[in-house]
Amino acid sequence: MRTMTRFGQSLLVASAVAAAMPVVAQELHAQRVAPEQLSNQWLLLNRDVAVDVPNSGVNIYKPSCIAVTYVIGSDGVPMNVQVAKMAPPSDLGKAAVSAVSNFRYGPSLTNKNHMPAATYYIIPFNAPDDPAQRAQVMAPCKLPGYSES
């Protein structure tokens, strides 16, 4: 078995850093956009997504919400998808991340340059059908710090 030289190791690290730069640059230049305003920049293209839902776990049958933050890259694909808030705590975080990771977006007419956007999405689990009760379940997952305009 051959061992890698210091030069080879340095070259490997430099290649990895260079490959990550476009993603980091997109995240740094992404404007924070409230979910209600996202359609001004990006339009969700798919209506159905595959979700990995566990068969058992903590609070998976209880009405709950999970706020997932992410950046829509210039290619319309979510990146850096993370659970930001969960109410009540449950084992549904991975399901929420898998759902948002499968979203695909197209630029709106006002986003011809495909500018990245940082936003969040609230996923309700087992929420009631009644709009007022559903809004009550989702309210604890609203995140501050995203522009409303």
Side-chain angles (χ1 to χ4, degrees):
M1 186 192 300
R2 264 177 27 184
T3 59
M4 192 179 286
T5 65
R6 280 192 186 259
F7 177 75
Q9 289 174 340
S10 298
L11 188 59
L12 185 62
V13 169
S15 297
V17 169
M21 291 303 282
V23 172
V24 171
Q26 286 188 52
E27 287 189 41
L28 291 175
H29 293 98
Q31 177 184 0
R32 289 176 71 127
V33 178
E36 302 82 27
Q37 300 300 317
L38 187 60
S39 63
N40 294 333
Q41 293 186 7
W42 290 97
L43 304 172
L44 186 61
L45 299 177
N46 51 342
R47 295 288 175 204
D48 297 317
V49 294
V51 179
D52 252 343
V53 180
N55 292 328
S56 62
V58 176
N59 286 332
I60 66 167
Y61 298 109
K62 194 170 193 178
S64 62
C65 65
I66 298 177
V68 179
T69 60
Y70 57 104
V71 173
I72 301 170
S74 59
D75 59 357
V77 176
M79 60 183 159
N80 196 22
V81 182
Q82 301 176 6
V83 171
K85 200 172 204 182
M86 192 180 303
S90 73
D91 288 337
L92 293 169
K94 285 183 181 181
V97 167
S98 78
V100 172
S101 295
N102 288 313
F103 287 175
R104 294 300 176 261
Y105 291 90
S108 71
L109 294 175
T110 59
N111 189 7
K112 292 179 181 167
N113 293 328
H114 299 218
M115 294 301 297
T119 191
Y120 70 96
Y121 190 86
I122 299 174
I123 299 177
F125 287 97
N126 307 309
D129 290 334
D130 176 65
Q133 291 176 339
R134 188 178 193 85
Q136 189 175 10
V137 167
M138 293 175 65
C141 288
K142 189 162 173 78
L143 300 177
Y146 289 81
S147 76
E148 296 291 334
S149 59

